[in-house]
Amino acid sequence: MHSFAYKNGALHCEGVNLQDIAAAVGTPTFVYSKKTILDDLEEFRQALAPLDAHIAYAVKACSNKAILHLMAQRGVGFDIVSGGELWRIVNAGGDPTLCTYAGVAKTEAEIRYALELGIYCFNCESENELREINRIAGEMGVKAPVAVRVNPNVDAHTHKYITTGTNENKFGVDISRIEALYATIAAEMPHLHIKGLQMHIGSQLTDKQPFVTAIEKVAPIVAKFKELYGIEFWSIGGGIGIVYDGCLASGSEEWWAEHPEQITIRSYAESIIPLLRPLGLKILIEPGRRLVGNAAAMLTTCVYEKKGEAKTFKMIDAGMNDIIRPALYEGYHEIWPVQQHSGDSIVADIVGPICESGDFQAQNRLVADVKPGEVLAEMSAGAYGFSMASTYNSRPLAAEVLVDGDKWHLIRRRQTMEQIVEGELLPGEA
Ligand code: LLP
């Protein structure tokens, strides 16, 4: 449960009035709640206690150093997808030996870097990648720990761009071919150590059934691999959905009592534990969104209002470069005024400054009739918010703030124009 709520007519994160952060840091600014992240980590720990379960936080969801540091301090491992993310883990004080490295196109330089740092395991996506890691490990005189990502061909019923577990996707190795591939590794790739098996069927799953179906489908293979190759872990991936529509209200116990259908860490755990426990293996779980998604809001200021023939637009100072989810995945994020309004709602589009029609954060939405100068909070912004931001239209990356009780800390300075153009050269200047 998150820690954003109105208190005395002003939206707060934990004990801090968001208006104060906007005044001090400006907008757009992402504001994270430390308490929310730590509470959810603890809930994972407790819910998965019957298993030998370990969290590998999916760094791509939010990779700010302070957030990674917070998790590293709690002994969390990390699921990474690039040499850059591995660099971030080390830089944030994380332990590379707790990192699993996924991704379909790891380069030689990335593989060498990961082997030098002694990561826990490569999660591989193709036979050619395995052969390349085998070659590099041989050259380096080491054995590379590997698992293969199996594609169980289970539809996650989520947005098509974030479905990954069907054979229409580029990810993983078809379940029909996985046993032959493991036999090939064992027979032909002497510099690899078969350490586990991995899967991940998609992101923002709001239903437990696809997780259960995929686990039921793959568990017999895992048991066989334990026998044959002595694998030590099964990573079941991430994907647990969060609350987008209803986010602010979901900060209260009552909301959860009224929404028993909503997937929770506990209900997810309860549905999978009976299937996993008999395997007697280490289970890795790779949540990204569920650990940080509802833990942040992005503050933005209303700049203008325009009433057209067909629509009313509220222009804000944040664009699709700051949060691309509505444009890319038809993502829905609640938008609330930081100073509470009473009864003056209006149907409007909330749009950004970018020169693209896709640059909206909300369309045909019943929202408070905010006026220019007012600060708004876009909810559920912690996952794939800042981490997917760009400088499109030469817009500096937003600031980030971490709230801790009634204190807050700047955890990323707003980018400057000098930083954006740093590295650009006129011909001959290099
Ligand atoms: N493990 C693997 C192998 C993944 O590919 C992903 C996410 C995760 C774990 C973490 O999934 P999560 O628990 O966060 O659902 N940008 C999209 C989401 C892309 C997810 C990519 N893979 C969005 O904003 O909805």
Side-chain angles (χ1 to χ4, degrees):
M1 225 168 55
H2 67 71
S3 305
F4 290 84
Y6 283 110
K7 290 178 198 166
N8 305 322
L11 192 57
H12 282 61
C13 173
E14 302 186 23
V16 177
N17 185 336
L18 292 174
Q19 194 73 40
D20 294 342
I21 295 177
V25 182
T27 56
T29 293
F30 288 78
V31 180
Y32 302 84
S33 156
K34 179 174 170 181
K35 178 178 185 325
T36 305
I37 296 173
L38 294 184
D39 283 355
D40 284 349
L41 265 181
E42 188 49 35
E43 199 175 332
F44 267 113
R45 287 251 158 89
Q46 286 181 12
L48 295 168
L51 299 172
D52 177 17
H54 299 258
I55 292 178
Y57 166 63
V59 174
K60 62 174 89 72
C62 174
S63 55
N64 182 288
K65 179 179 175 177
I67 305 290
L68 299 179
H69 181 72
L70 193 64
M71 300 211 188
Q73 279 181 319
R74 266 76 187 173
V76 170
F78 299 96
D79 177 54
I80 56 169
V81 290
S82 68
E85 286 190 350
L86 181 53
W87 190 95
R88 277 185 177 279
I89 296 305
V90 176
N91 185 51
D95 183 351
T97 69
L98 297 180
C99 287
T100 51
Y101 187 170
V104 296
K106 305 173 185 83
T107 64
E108 172 158 1
E110 290 178 313
I111 293 165
R112 283 186 186 275
Y113 179 49
L115 284 172
E116 277 159 15
L117 290 182
I119 61 159
Y120 178 69
C121 198
F122 289 98
N123 291 336
C124 304
E125 310 244 9
S126 65
E127 180 171 339
N128 286 334
E129 179 193 335
L130 287 156
R131 291 198 184 277
E132 178 69 350
I133 297 175
N134 181 58
R135 179 186 69 77
I136 296 167
E139 275 180 27
M140 292 174 68
V142 295
K143 262 200 168 213
V146 296
V148 179
R149 173 167 177 178
V150 60
N151 186 332
N153 196 20
V154 170
D155 191 345
H157 301 298
T158 181
H159 191 272
K160 59 181 185 296
Y161 287 0
I162 50 177
T163 288
T164 52
T166 76
N167 53 21
E168 298 279 306
N169 303 119
K170 69 178 175 185
F171 298 102
V173 170
D174 288 345
I175 189 162
S176 58
R177 298 178 178 211
I178 195 77
E179 292 183 51
L181 180 57
Y182 270 63
T184 306
I185 302 172
E188 299 176 18
M189 305 185 204
H191 307 295
L192 302 185
H193 164 213
I194 299 178
K195 202 162 183 179
L197 185 76
Q198 199 267 354
M199 71 178 190
H200 171 78
I201 58 173
S203 197
Q204 185 52 21
L205 274 71
T206 50
D207 179 10
K208 293 178 283 291
Q209 194 51 47
F211 290 119
V212 169
T213 306
I215 291 174
E216 281 173 343
K217 219 167 157 181
V218 175
I221 300 176
V222 173
K224 211 185 234 180
F225 286 178
K226 188 182 170 197
E227 279 287 310
L228 286 174
Y229 310 111
I231 62 170
E232 73 178 45
F233 79 90
W234 182 13
S235 175
I236 57 169
I240 309 169
I242 60 165
V243 182
Y244 283 102
D245 190 354
C247 175
L248 186 60
S250 74
S252 75
E253 302 274 2
E254 296 77 53
W255 188 91
W256 289 94
E258 287 161 14
H259 293 83
E261 76 293 349
Q262 182 70 35
I263 193 166
T264 62
I265 294 171
R266 191 156 294 280
S267 68
Y268 165 82
E270 279 167 3
S271 66
I272 61 171
I273 285 171
L275 306 172
L276 296 170
R277 212 171 160 178
L279 293 167
L281 277 177
K282 181 193 274 193
I283 300 297
L284 297 190
I285 143 162
E286 305 167 2
R289 193 188 313 263
R290 188 60 190 80
L291 277 175
V292 290
N294 288 139
M298 181 191 65
L299 302 181
T300 173
T301 304
C302 178
V303 184
Y304 298 111
E305 147 180 83
K306 176 158 83 175
K307 286 198 194 311
E309 281 284 310
K311 284 192 164 194
T312 296
F313 296 96
K314 305 278 182 186
M315 281 75 159
I316 56 174
D317 67 356
M320 64 193 282
N321 69 301
D322 298 294
I323 296 188
I324 202 173
R325 300 196 70 267
L328 198 54
Y329 316 110
E330 301 159 316
Y332 182 103
H333 291 257
E334 285 184 356
I335 299 177
W336 294 94
V338 167
Q339 297 297 341
Q340 198 163 20
H341 282 228
S342 49
D344 61 348
S345 299
I346 170 177
V347 174
D349 280 17
I350 300 191
V351 300
I354 303 256
C355 300
E356 301 252 4
S357 299
D359 180 28
F360 56 84
Q361 296 299 328
Q363 284 183 310
N364 303 318
R365 184 81 66 80
L366 188 65
V367 285
D369 192 10
V370 290
K371 297 298 167 203
E374 276 189 66
V375 178
L376 302 169
E378 182 160 340
M379 307 302 293
S380 315
Y384 310 107
F386 187 93
S387 67
M388 293 184 77
S390 77
T391 58
Y392 186 40
N393 280 203
S394 290
R395 293 173 42 79
L397 294 173
E400 294 181 286
V401 160
L402 181 65
V403 170
D404 181 6
D406 54 11
K407 297 194 176 54
W408 58 270
H409 306 275
L410 190 64
I411 57 170
R412 175 189 293 271
R413 294 193 180 92
R414 189 175 307 288
Q415 197 179 28
T416 63
M417 274 315 297
E418 286 73 16
Q419 289 166 336
I420 291 185
V421 299
E422 192 183 28
E424 293 183 22
L425 299 168
L426 294 177
E429 274 185 342

mmCIF file of all heavy atoms in Angstrom, residues 300-333:
data_model
loop_
_atom_site.group_PDB
_atom_site.id
_atom_site.type_symbol
_atom_site.label_atom_id
_atom_site.label_comp_id
_atom_site.label_asym_id
_atom_site.label_seq_id
_atom_site.Cartn_x
_atom_site.Cartn_y
_atom_site.Cartn_z
ATOM 1 N N THR A 300 3.791 17.948 -11.832
ATOM 2 C CA THR A 300 3.842 18.750 -13.056
ATOM 3 C C THR A 300 2.946 19.971 -12.837
ATOM 4 O O THR A 300 2.033 19.940 -12.021
ATOM 5 C CB THR A 300 3.387 17.914 -14.282
ATOM 6 O OG1 THR A 300 3.300 18.754 -15.426
ATOM 7 C CG2 THR A 300 2.050 17.242 -14.052
ATOM 8 N N THR A 301 3.223 21.046 -13.566
ATOM 9 C CA THR A 301 2.446 22.279 -13.371
ATOM 10 C C THR A 301 1.582 22.530 -14.602
ATOM 11 O O THR A 301 2.030 22.358 -15.733
ATOM 12 C CB THR A 301 3.402 23.478 -13.166
ATOM 13 O OG1 THR A 301 4.257 23.184 -12.064
ATOM 14 C CG2 THR A 301 2.627 24.762 -12.868
ATOM 15 N N CYS A 302 0.354 22.963 -14.359
ATOM 16 C CA CYS A 302 -0.532 23.359 -15.457
ATOM 17 C C CYS A 302 -0.018 24.702 -15.992
ATOM 18 O O CYS A 302 0.200 25.646 -15.230
ATOM 19 C CB CYS A 302 -1.971 23.478 -14.956
ATOM 20 S SG CYS A 302 -3.121 24.007 -16.230
ATOM 21 N N VAL A 303 0.186 24.760 -17.310
ATOM 22 C CA VAL A 303 0.763 25.977 -17.906
ATOM 23 C C VAL A 303 -0.312 26.831 -18.572
ATOM 24 O O VAL A 303 -0.364 28.050 -18.384
ATOM 25 C CB VAL A 303 1.852 25.601 -18.937
ATOM 26 C CG1 VAL A 303 2.510 26.856 -19.486
ATOM 27 C CG2 VAL A 303 2.916 24.703 -18.303
ATOM 28 N N TYR A 304 -1.151 26.220 -19.376
ATOM 29 C CA TYR A 304 -2.233 26.934 -20.048
ATOM 30 C C TYR A 304 -3.467 26.062 -20.055
ATOM 31 O O TYR A 304 -3.398 24.858 -19.826
ATOM 32 C CB TYR A 304 -1.900 27.213 -21.527
ATOM 33 C CG TYR A 304 -0.702 28.083 -21.738
ATOM 34 C CD1 TYR A 304 0.456 27.547 -22.291
ATOM 35 C CD2 TYR A 304 -0.727 29.442 -21.410
ATOM 36 C CE1 TYR A 304 1.563 28.330 -22.507
ATOM 37 C CE2 TYR A 304 0.389 30.232 -21.621
ATOM 38 C CZ TYR A 304 1.535 29.672 -22.167
ATOM 39 O OH TYR A 304 2.630 30.438 -22.368
ATOM 40 N N GLU A 305 -4.561 26.731 -20.445
ATOM 41 C CA GLU A 305 -5.791 25.972 -20.689
ATOM 42 C C GLU A 305 -6.293 26.447 -22.041
ATOM 43 O O GLU A 305 -6.135 27.624 -22.387
ATOM 44 C CB GLU A 305 -6.744 26.272 -19.545
ATOM 45 C CG GLU A 305 -8.192 26.276 -19.886
ATOM 46 C CD GLU A 305 -9.027 26.578 -18.648
ATOM 47 O OE1 GLU A 305 -9.177 27.770 -18.324
ATOM 48 O OE2 GLU A 305 -9.512 25.637 -18.032
ATOM 49 N N LYS A 306 -6.860 25.540 -22.818
ATOM 50 C CA LYS A 306 -7.420 25.936 -24.124
ATOM 51 C C LYS A 306 -8.748 25.245 -24.303
ATOM 52 O O LYS A 306 -8.835 24.020 -24.213
ATOM 53 C CB LYS A 306 -6.451 25.521 -25.236
ATOM 54 C CG LYS A 306 -6.989 25.802 -26.634
ATOM 55 C CD LYS A 306 -5.892 25.907 -27.673
ATOM 56 C CE LYS A 306 -5.448 24.567 -28.198
ATOM 57 N NZ LYS A 306 -4.464 24.710 -29.288
ATOM 58 N N LYS A 307 -9.770 26.049 -24.572
ATOM 59 C CA LYS A 307 -11.070 25.444 -24.838
ATOM 60 C C LYS A 307 -11.297 25.482 -26.341
ATOM 61 O O LYS A 307 -11.360 26.554 -26.952
ATOM 62 C CB LYS A 307 -12.169 26.215 -24.107
ATOM 63 C CG LYS A 307 -12.183 25.958 -22.612
ATOM 64 C CD LYS A 307 -13.519 26.366 -22.023
ATOM 65 C CE LYS A 307 -13.567 26.465 -20.522
ATOM 66 N NZ LYS A 307 -13.074 25.441 -19.697
ATOM 67 N N GLY A 308 -11.356 24.286 -26.973
ATOM 68 C CA GLY A 308 -11.598 24.226 -28.408
ATOM 69 C C GLY A 308 -13.047 23.898 -28.688
ATOM 70 O O GLY A 308 -13.861 23.795 -27.765
ATOM 71 N N GLU A 309 -13.379 23.739 -29.969
ATOM 72 C CA GLU A 309 -14.748 23.363 -30.372
ATOM 73 C C GLU A 309 -15.143 22.045 -29.718
ATOM 74 O O GLU A 309 -16.221 21.914 -29.165
ATOM 75 C CB GLU A 309 -14.792 23.170 -31.890
ATOM 76 C CG GLU A 309 -14.866 24.454 -32.698
ATOM 77 C CD GLU A 309 -16.266 25.053 -32.656
ATOM 78 O OE1 GLU A 309 -17.223 24.320 -32.920
ATOM 79 O OE2 GLU A 309 -16.375 26.259 -32.328
ATOM 80 N N ALA A 310 -14.217 21.086 -29.827
ATOM 81 C CA ALA A 310 -14.562 19.725 -29.409
ATOM 82 C C ALA A 310 -14.062 19.387 -28.015
ATOM 83 O O ALA A 310 -14.656 18.559 -27.328
ATOM 84 C CB ALA A 310 -13.998 18.724 -30.409
ATOM 85 N N LYS A 311 -13.022 20.039 -27.580
ATOM 86 C CA LYS A 311 -12.361 19.574 -26.356
ATOM 87 C C LYS A 311 -11.805 20.708 -25.526
ATOM 88 O O LYS A 311 -11.502 21.785 -26.055
ATOM 89 C CB LYS A 311 -11.166 18.689 -26.739
ATOM 90 C CG LYS A 311 -11.529 17.314 -27.203
ATOM 91 C CD LYS A 311 -10.297 16.448 -27.277
ATOM 92 C CE LYS A 311 -10.731 14.990 -27.346
ATOM 93 N NZ LYS A 311 -9.662 14.079 -27.090
ATOM 94 N N THR A 312 -11.604 20.418 -24.260
ATOM 95 C CA THR A 312 -10.832 21.324 -23.411
ATOM 96 C C THR A 312 -9.482 20.676 -23.168
ATOM 97 O O THR A 312 -9.417 19.481 -22.875
ATOM 98 C CB THR A 312 -11.551 21.549 -22.067
ATOM 99 O OG1 THR A 312 -12.778 22.199 -22.337
ATOM 100 C CG2 THR A 312 -10.718 22.393 -21.116
ATOM 101 N N PHE A 313 -8.432 21.460 -23.323
ATOM 102 C CA PHE A 313 -7.082 20.958 -23.088
ATOM 103 C C PHE A 313 -6.490 21.668 -21.885
ATOM 104 O O PHE A 313 -6.640 22.883 -21.741
ATOM 105 C CB PHE A 313 -6.177 21.224 -24.297
ATOM 106 C CG PHE A 313 -6.599 20.498 -25.533
ATOM 107 C CD1 PHE A 313 -7.394 21.134 -26.488
ATOM 108 C CD2 PHE A 313 -6.213 19.191 -25.749
ATOM 109 C CE1 PHE A 313 -7.796 20.460 -27.631
ATOM 110 C CE2 PHE A 313 -6.596 18.513 -26.905
ATOM 111 C CZ PHE A 313 -7.397 19.148 -27.844
ATOM 112 N N LYS A 314 -5.819 20.904 -21.047
ATOM 113 C CA LYS A 314 -4.993 21.489 -19.994
ATOM 114 C C LYS A 314 -3.557 21.164 -20.381
ATOM 115 O O LYS A 314 -3.202 19.978 -20.469
ATOM 116 C CB LYS A 314 -5.304 20.859 -18.632
ATOM 117 C CG LYS A 314 -6.775 20.922 -18.223
ATOM 118 C CD LYS A 314 -7.133 22.255 -17.632
ATOM 119 C CE LYS A 314 -8.597 22.267 -17.184
ATOM 120 N NZ LYS A 314 -9.022 23.611 -16.725
ATOM 121 N N MET A 315 -2.776 22.211 -20.653
ATOM 122 C CA MET A 315 -1.382 21.970 -21.023
ATOM 123 C C MET A 315 -0.531 21.949 -19.760
ATOM 124 O O MET A 315 -0.656 22.837 -18.912
ATOM 125 C CB MET A 315 -0.854 23.089 -21.933
ATOM 126 C CG MET A 315 -1.289 22.954 -23.358
ATOM 127 S SD MET A 315 -3.002 23.409 -23.551
ATOM 128 C CE MET A 315 -3.068 23.774 -25.286
ATOM 129 N N ILE A 316 0.351 20.949 -19.697
ATOM 130 C CA ILE A 316 1.215 20.827 -18.516
ATOM 131 C C ILE A 316 2.690 20.906 -18.933
ATOM 132 O O ILE A 316 3.013 20.820 -20.117
ATOM 133 C CB ILE A 316 0.947 19.505 -17.761
ATOM 134 C CG1 ILE A 316 1.107 18.297 -18.692
ATOM 135 C CG2 ILE A 316 -0.426 19.528 -17.111
ATOM 136 C CD1 ILE A 316 1.009 16.943 -17.981
ATOM 137 N N ASP A 317 3.557 21.046 -17.942
ATOM 138 C CA ASP A 317 4.983 21.202 -18.260
ATOM 139 C C ASP A 317 5.719 19.868 -18.310
ATOM 140 O O ASP A 317 6.947 19.837 -18.280
ATOM 141 C CB ASP A 317 5.676 22.181 -17.296
ATOM 142 C CG ASP A 317 5.750 21.656 -15.866
ATOM 143 O OD1 ASP A 317 5.208 20.563 -15.579
ATOM 144 O OD2 ASP A 317 6.361 22.348 -15.018
ATOM 145 N N ALA A 318 4.978 18.771 -18.350
ATOM 146 C CA ALA A 318 5.613 17.451 -18.515
ATOM 147 C C ALA A 318 5.088 16.847 -19.808
ATOM 148 O O ALA A 318 3.909 17.015 -20.151
ATOM 149 C CB ALA A 318 5.278 16.541 -17.346
ATOM 150 N N GLY A 319 5.954 16.150 -20.510
ATOM 151 C CA GLY A 319 5.554 15.590 -21.791
ATOM 152 C C GLY A 319 5.772 14.101 -21.870
ATOM 153 O O GLY A 319 6.185 13.449 -20.899
ATOM 154 N N MET A 320 5.534 13.572 -23.071
ATOM 155 C CA MET A 320 5.769 12.150 -23.296
ATOM 156 C C MET A 320 7.247 11.808 -23.155
ATOM 157 O O MET A 320 7.594 10.642 -23.003
ATOM 158 C CB MET A 320 5.278 11.736 -24.689
ATOM 159 C CG MET A 320 6.023 12.393 -25.815
ATOM 160 S SD MET A 320 5.232 12.203 -27.435
ATOM 161 C CE MET A 320 5.678 10.550 -27.852
ATOM 162 N N ASN A 321 8.107 12.816 -23.164
ATOM 163 C CA ASN A 321 9.532 12.531 -22.900
ATOM 164 C C ASN A 321 9.737 12.205 -21.422
ATOM 165 O O ASN A 321 10.693 11.534 -21.066
ATOM 166 C CB ASN A 321 10.412 13.719 -23.309
ATOM 167 C CG ASN A 321 10.208 14.908 -22.409
ATOM 168 O OD1 ASN A 321 9.088 15.413 -22.311
ATOM 169 N ND2 ASN A 321 11.246 15.333 -21.725
ATOM 170 N N ASP A 322 8.844 12.712 -20.546
ATOM 171 C CA ASP A 322 8.965 12.457 -19.101
ATOM 172 C C ASP A 322 8.280 11.146 -18.717
ATOM 173 O O ASP A 322 8.837 10.361 -17.953
ATOM 174 C CB ASP A 322 8.342 13.609 -18.303
ATOM 175 C CG ASP A 322 9.067 14.916 -18.561
ATOM 176 O OD1 ASP A 322 10.244 15.016 -18.175
ATOM 177 O OD2 ASP A 322 8.472 15.835 -19.168
ATOM 178 N N ILE A 323 7.059 10.956 -19.202
ATOM 179 C CA ILE A 323 6.352 9.674 -19.004
ATOM 180 C C ILE A 323 5.765 9.284 -20.352
ATOM 181 O O ILE A 323 4.858 9.928 -20.856
ATOM 182 C CB ILE A 323 5.220 9.773 -17.952
ATOM 183 C CG1 ILE A 323 5.780 10.091 -16.565
ATOM 184 C CG2 ILE A 323 4.436 8.459 -17.908
ATOM 185 C CD1 ILE A 323 4.757 10.013 -15.446
ATOM 186 N N ILE A 324 6.287 8.208 -20.909
ATOM 187 C CA ILE A 324 5.873 7.830 -22.268
ATOM 188 C C ILE A 324 4.768 6.777 -22.259
ATOM 189 O O ILE A 324 4.231 6.408 -23.295
ATOM 190 C CB ILE A 324 7.104 7.325 -23.068
ATOM 191 C CG1 ILE A 324 6.821 7.446 -24.571
ATOM 192 C CG2 ILE A 324 7.515 5.916 -22.650
ATOM 193 C CD1 ILE A 324 7.992 7.138 -25.456
ATOM 194 N N ARG A 325 4.397 6.302 -21.069
ATOM 195 C CA ARG A 325 3.478 5.160 -20.997
ATOM 196 C C ARG A 325 2.119 5.398 -21.667
ATOM 197 O O ARG A 325 1.635 4.514 -22.384
ATOM 198 C CB ARG A 325 3.287 4.702 -19.546
ATOM 199 C CG ARG A 325 4.609 4.263 -18.869
ATOM 200 C CD ARG A 325 4.392 3.459 -17.612
ATOM 201 N NE ARG A 325 3.849 2.163 -17.911
ATOM 202 C CZ ARG A 325 2.588 1.846 -17.937
ATOM 203 N NH1 ARG A 325 1.680 2.735 -17.584
ATOM 204 N NH2 ARG A 325 2.188 0.641 -18.272
ATOM 205 N N PRO A 326 1.477 6.571 -21.495
ATOM 206 C CA PRO A 326 0.197 6.755 -22.202
ATOM 207 C C PRO A 326 0.362 6.676 -23.723
ATOM 208 O O PRO A 326 -0.441 6.038 -24.403
ATOM 209 C CB PRO A 326 -0.255 8.152 -21.754
ATOM 210 C CG PRO A 326 0.403 8.342 -20.423
ATOM 211 C CD PRO A 326 1.757 7.677 -20.553
ATOM 212 N N ALA A 327 1.433 7.267 -24.246
ATOM 213 C CA ALA A 327 1.636 7.277 -25.698
ATOM 214 C C ALA A 327 1.989 5.895 -26.226
ATOM 215 O O ALA A 327 1.536 5.494 -27.293
ATOM 216 C CB ALA A 327 2.737 8.261 -26.056
ATOM 217 N N LEU A 328 2.788 5.168 -25.468
ATOM 218 C CA LEU A 328 3.316 3.901 -25.987
ATOM 219 C C LEU A 328 2.418 2.695 -25.705
ATOM 220 O O LEU A 328 2.318 1.803 -26.528
ATOM 221 C CB LEU A 328 4.710 3.676 -25.381
ATOM 222 C CG LEU A 328 5.632 2.684 -26.061
ATOM 223 C CD1 LEU A 328 5.814 3.005 -27.542
ATOM 224 C CD2 LEU A 328 7.000 2.688 -25.372
ATOM 225 N N TYR A 329 1.809 2.676 -24.533
ATOM 226 C CA TYR A 329 1.029 1.484 -24.153
ATOM 227 C C TYR A 329 -0.425 1.814 -23.836
ATOM 228 O O TYR A 329 -1.080 1.027 -23.167
ATOM 229 C CB TYR A 329 1.596 0.821 -22.892
ATOM 230 C CG TYR A 329 3.081 0.681 -22.841
ATOM 231 C CD1 TYR A 329 3.825 1.444 -21.943
ATOM 232 C CD2 TYR A 329 3.756 -0.232 -23.654
ATOM 233 C CE1 TYR A 329 5.190 1.309 -21.859
ATOM 234 C CE2 TYR A 329 5.123 -0.358 -23.577
ATOM 235 C CZ TYR A 329 5.839 0.404 -22.680
ATOM 236 O OH TYR A 329 7.195 0.277 -22.593
ATOM 237 N N GLU A 330 -0.884 2.991 -24.219
ATOM 238 C CA GLU A 330 -2.224 3.428 -23.812
ATOM 239 C C GLU A 330 -2.322 3.364 -22.288
ATOM 240 O O GLU A 330 -3.348 2.999 -21.726
ATOM 241 C CB GLU A 330 -3.297 2.539 -24.471
ATOM 242 C CG GLU A 330 -3.231 2.573 -25.990
ATOM 243 C CD GLU A 330 -3.890 1.387 -26.667
ATOM 244 O OE1 GLU A 330 -3.680 0.237 -26.222
ATOM 245 O OE2 GLU A 330 -4.608 1.622 -27.646
ATOM 246 N N GLY A 331 -1.222 3.646 -21.625
ATOM 247 C CA GLY A 331 -1.182 3.574 -20.159
ATOM 248 C C GLY A 331 -2.094 4.610 -19.509
ATOM 249 O O GLY A 331 -2.248 5.718 -20.021
ATOM 250 N N TYR A 332 -2.708 4.217 -18.407
ATOM 251 C CA TYR A 332 -3.633 5.094 -17.679
ATOM 252 C C TYR A 332 -2.983 5.490 -16.367
ATOM 253 O O TYR A 332 -2.609 4.637 -15.565
ATOM 254 C CB TYR A 332 -4.943 4.343 -17.413
ATOM 255 C CG TYR A 332 -6.012 5.147 -16.714
ATOM 256 C CD1 TYR A 332 -7.090 5.667 -17.426
ATOM 257 C CD2 TYR A 332 -5.955 5.377 -15.336
ATOM 258 C CE1 TYR A 332 -8.077 6.395 -16.789
ATOM 259 C CE2 TYR A 332 -6.935 6.116 -14.698
ATOM 260 C CZ TYR A 332 -7.997 6.621 -15.419
ATOM 261 O OH TYR A 332 -8.971 7.347 -14.786
ATOM 262 N N HIS A 333 -2.812 6.782 -16.154
ATOM 263 C CA HIS A 333 -2.272 7.281 -14.883
ATOM 264 C C HIS A 333 -3.253 8.305 -14.328
ATOM 265 O O HIS A 333 -3.630 9.253 -15.042
ATOM 266 C CB HIS A 333 -0.909 7.957 -15.092
ATOM 267 C CG HIS A 333 0.188 7.004 -15.464
ATOM 268 N ND1 HIS A 333 1.135 6.584 -14.564
ATOM 269 C CD2 HIS A 333 0.473 6.379 -16.627
ATOM 270 C CE1 HIS A 333 1.971 5.736 -15.170
ATOM 271 N NE2 HIS A 333 1.586 5.594 -16.415
#
